[in-house]
Amino acid sequence: MANSPVWTAEAEKRLKEIPFFVRPAARKKIEKFAQAQGLDEITESVYEDAKKQFG
């Protein structure tokens, strides 16, 4: 994906808590969430905000 947000190490660690078979879809959804917010970095806080929105 062009211009994908950069993931911090902490956010990547949290992403790995998601089952491997849904992780790619979750990553895309979180990246789209961050881009919609105008963010170029996914931190643990952004990850948590996305998780709250998507359930």
Side-chain angles (χ1 to χ4, degrees):
M1 178 185 276
N3 299 333
S4 293
V6 176
W7 287 70
T8 64
E10 295 83 9
E12 283 280 0
K13 184 178 177 183
R14 295 296 305 275
L15 183 66
K16 289 181 180 175
E17 295 172 0
I18 296 173
F20 75 92
F21 53 90
V22 293
R23 200 175 299 152
R27 176 184 288 272
K28 284 183 181 181
K29 207 167 192 179
I30 294 166
E31 288 177 351
K32 284 184 180 184
F33 172 84
Q35 288 173 331
Q37 306 253 337
L39 304 171
D40 57 0
E41 182 178 61
I42 297 173
T43 62
E44 197 170 7
S45 176
V46 173
Y47 175 91
E48 284 298 319
D49 290 345
K51 185 177 171 183
K52 286 176 189 171
Q53 181 172 339
F54 302 127

